[in-house]
Amino acid sequence: MSATTMGFRPKLWTPGDWNALFGFGTNILVNILTLSVLLRFVLKMPDSITFGRILPAVGLMLFLSTAYYAWLAYRLARQTGRSDVCALPSGISVPHMFIVTLVIMLPIASQTNDPIRGWEAGLAWVFVQSFILMIGGFIAPFIRRVTPRAALLGTLAGVSVTFIAMRPALEVFMTPVIGLVCFGVILAAWFGGLRYPRGIPAGLVAIAVGIVVAWGGAAIGLPVGGVDGGRLLAALGSIGFSVPLPAVGHVFGGFEYLGIILVTAIPFGIYDLVEAMDNVESAEAAGDHYPTTRVLTADGVVSLIGCLMGNPFINAVYIGHPGWKAMGGRIGYSLVTGLAVLVLTWLGIASVLLDLIPTVAISPILLYIAMLIGAQAFQEVPRSHAPAVVLAFAPHLAAWGKNQVDGALAAAGTSAAAVGMDKLAGLGVLYPGLTVLGGGAILAGLVLGAIAVCVIEKQYDKAAAFAGAGAVLSFFGFMHGEAVGIGHSLGVTLAYALVAGFLVACGRSLAPARAPLATAPAE
């Protein structure tokens, strides 16, 4: 800290924090409501566990996370003397939320006819993941240092365009009288610079418009947005008070299923490392430098605390820092969001909000964030690297497409294998290609993007190293495969190895041509 910044005291709250609070807060709210639905209606978890044990522990974890990142932002602002530092957004990892529920907890709950056993397996899964994060935090800075920015931001943008943008965009156009109108409210303010009366945050205006339209329509017999007065009254009657309680016995009870847990815990641990690096890189591109090791270690520690108190969902730094910063978010929005989550989860208010606010009114906020992250991948890298960004998108598009195909076939009571690959191919659905390209998409996007950047820059040895890494990761099933294991993707492994050898040869062939230029005497 220099003498010029020693006396600087960053503001804990700025007017822009209101915008970020309602935007980020609604994002967190949607995730809490989603996991509540998964617990109650998919796992058939008793309300005493869902609202009495799990959600209070979730609230504690999120408060610790958001408070820590608010402190980290305050520390950075003091060190640099800047007033525009924005805290990293964090919360429940959305991909993990579905994986731990549908791949770990649901099968075990179904097998044992006991959702509590499923909950215990989920706790053990997060326990393992937490240590992977803490250990990985010490190698992540090296990976980030050697990986091109276009690869890191490109694979992040791929996640943003597919798994973040597409569902909200579809929801907006499924209920356009709410979704499209709320999207217009947000676009006018956050892209167009329009200020609403008395400085009311655009996110709050959009939610208010959605509530008015949905409940106004219900009042005159035109149901839009899925709101229902009876459900709202029932939710109001369920408000209570619960605090998190230690669940150490339940955590270690889940170790009975360690073999099943490790199959997904290891690859998703690697996914966490890469995702955190991507998001830290995204924040640095927006002007805020945070230490990767501190970020990953913090995610591991708060996830472990939440797990030991009964939370089977892991914490992660979120995509979206540039978006919240562009809205004017600084330090306070993170801390206040954490405090609000404590109130929601400890008092059981989540179910009330679920029945009050039409979800489609929140969707445009998520779409806006996805737009910013997708744009950043092109704006913050050299123009010559744009093809690498597009290539990094490809695995995510494949993974998203495969999910759509699988969901449609499952709804029809069948599967791709039952329909037949030839039949699908005849209709233009290259299912095996979607499976291979989309497996481990975030790692695949990073590796492919890095290879492309290095080739563009004629750094053939470095490109060969990334291709070699792709061969190793594919061999063990961390990318281009459906499961972790040895030799699941031998064809892809061999192909990456051949590409690595070819790139080494390219580098050697260019070396003699470059050498005279490097050693020629000045005239």
Side-chain angles (χ1 to χ4, degrees):
M1 188 181 297
S2 66
T4 57
T5 61
M6 190 174 298
F8 178 67
R9 292 289 183 273
K11 290 183 179 179
L12 294 179
W13 189 265
T14 67
D17 279 308
W18 284 110
N19 274 322
L21 171 64
F22 284 103
F24 177 53
T26 51
N27 189 359
I28 293 290
L29 174 62
V30 168
N31 292 338
I32 289 175
L33 298 180
T34 300
L35 72 86
S36 299
V37 169
L38 290 172
L39 291 170
R40 293 184 77 181
F41 301 113
V42 176
L43 293 175
K44 311 298 182 186
M45 195 72 67
D47 282 354
S48 59
I49 300 295
T50 297
F51 298 108
R53 299 295 303 273
I54 295 176
L55 282 187
V58 168
L60 175 63
M61 181 190 76
L62 294 181
F63 169 73
L64 293 174
S65 175
T66 53
Y68 174 76
Y69 287 119
W71 173 81
L72 208 60
Y74 182 84
R75 181 172 173 269
L76 178 62
R78 284 204 64 191
Q79 288 176 338
T80 59
R82 290 167 42 220
S83 60
D84 66 338
V85 173
C86 177
L88 288 168
S90 65
I92 296 164
S93 173
V94 177
H96 289 68
M97 178 169 66
F98 289 99
I99 290 295
V100 73
T101 301
L102 302 177
V103 177
I104 299 296
M105 297 168 71
L106 180 59
I108 290 171
S110 301
Q111 175 188 335
T112 60
N113 292 317
D114 185 359
I116 305 301
R117 301 297 288 162
W119 172 46
E120 291 177 342
L123 294 174
W125 192 81
V126 173
F127 185 88
V128 173
Q129 283 276 79
S130 299
F131 282 97
I132 293 174
L133 279 173
M134 286 185 274
I135 295 168
F138 294 94
I139 63 171
F142 168 76
I143 298 172
R144 182 174 169 231
R145 195 162 53 248
V146 301
T147 305
R149 173 172 282 191
L152 289 168
L153 295 183
T155 196
L156 183 66
V159 176
S160 177
V161 169
T162 53
F163 291 97
I164 295 180
M166 286 305 298
R167 184 180 179 90
L170 296 174
E171 289 172 343
V172 162
F173 282 90
M174 286 170 64
T175 314
V177 71
I178 295 177
L180 203 53
V181 171
C182 292
F183 189 48
V185 168
I186 285 171
L187 278 182
W190 291 344
F191 280 132
L194 177 68
R195 292 181 60 84
Y196 291 108
R198 300 183 181 275
I200 301 174
L204 180 58
V205 173
I207 291 172
V209 168
I211 291 174
V212 169
V213 173
W215 286 99
I220 60 174
L222 297 174
V224 288
V227 297
D228 180 83
R231 286 205 313 267
L232 179 60
L233 290 175
L236 287 168
S238 67
I239 293 177
F241 181 74
S242 301
V243 296
L245 300 171
V248 178
H250 290 291
V251 173
F252 289 102
F255 272 72
E256 176 184 346
Y257 308 100
L258 188 60
I260 299 173
I261 289 165
L262 290 178
V263 170
T264 52
I266 293 174
F268 268 87
I270 295 174
Y271 169 95
D272 282 332
L273 297 181
V274 177
E275 183 182 42
M277 288 189 297
D278 286 346
N279 292 332
V280 170
E281 184 72 25
S282 177
E284 183 160 341
D288 296 336
H289 171 73
Y290 290 103
T292 310
T293 299
R294 280 180 177 267
V295 169
L296 284 165
T297 304
D299 281 347
V301 170
V302 298
S303 295
L304 181 61
I305 293 171
C307 159
L308 295 174
M309 301 302 286
N311 168 36
F313 304 102
I314 203 161
N315 188 76
V317 170
Y318 275 0
I319 292 174
H321 169 277
W324 308 128
K325 185 169 184 173
M327 289 181 199
R330 297 296 178 256
I331 298 169
Y333 88 95
S334 180
L335 178 60
V336 174
T337 297
L339 290 169
V341 168
L342 274 185
V343 174
L344 291 176
T345 55
W346 289 19
L347 293 181
I349 299 176
S351 60
V352 176
L353 293 178
L354 176 63
D355 291 313
L356 174 66
I357 303 170
T359 304
V360 68
I362 299 171
S363 298
I365 298 173
L366 302 180
L367 181 55
Y368 163 80
I369 293 298
M371 291 164 64
L372 280 181
I373 300 304
Q376 184 191 46
F378 293 97
Q379 294 167 343
E380 301 296 336
V381 303
R383 289 183 63 184
S384 61
H385 293 181
V389 173
V390 175
L391 181 60
F393 275 42
H396 301 283
L397 294 170
W400 185 82
K402 180 179 180 295
N403 281 352
Q404 299 303 302
V405 173
D406 286 343
L409 293 175
T414 186
S415 66
V419 172
M421 301 305 154
D422 291 339
K423 199 168 188 178
L424 288 171
L427 296 171
V429 179
L430 302 180
Y431 190 85
L434 295 175
T435 301
V436 174
L437 178 57
I442 195 162
L443 285 172
L446 186 146
V447 169
L448 289 171
I451 292 171
V453 169
C454 294
V455 169
I456 290 168
E457 296 296 330
K458 296 181 174 57
Q459 299 171 340
Y460 287 104
D461 287 346
K462 191 173 179 181
F466 276 107
V472 173
L473 291 168
S474 299
F475 181 75
F476 289 104
F478 291 118
M479 55 188 251
H480 301 307
E482 293 188 272
V484 175
I486 296 175
H488 283 306
S489 303
L490 287 178
V492 180
T493 300
L494 177 61
Y496 271 116
L498 291 172
V499 170
F502 171 71
L503 292 170
V504 169
C506 289
R508 297 294 179 269
S509 69
L510 289 178
R514 286 197 295 252
L517 294 175
T519 57
E523 294 183 359

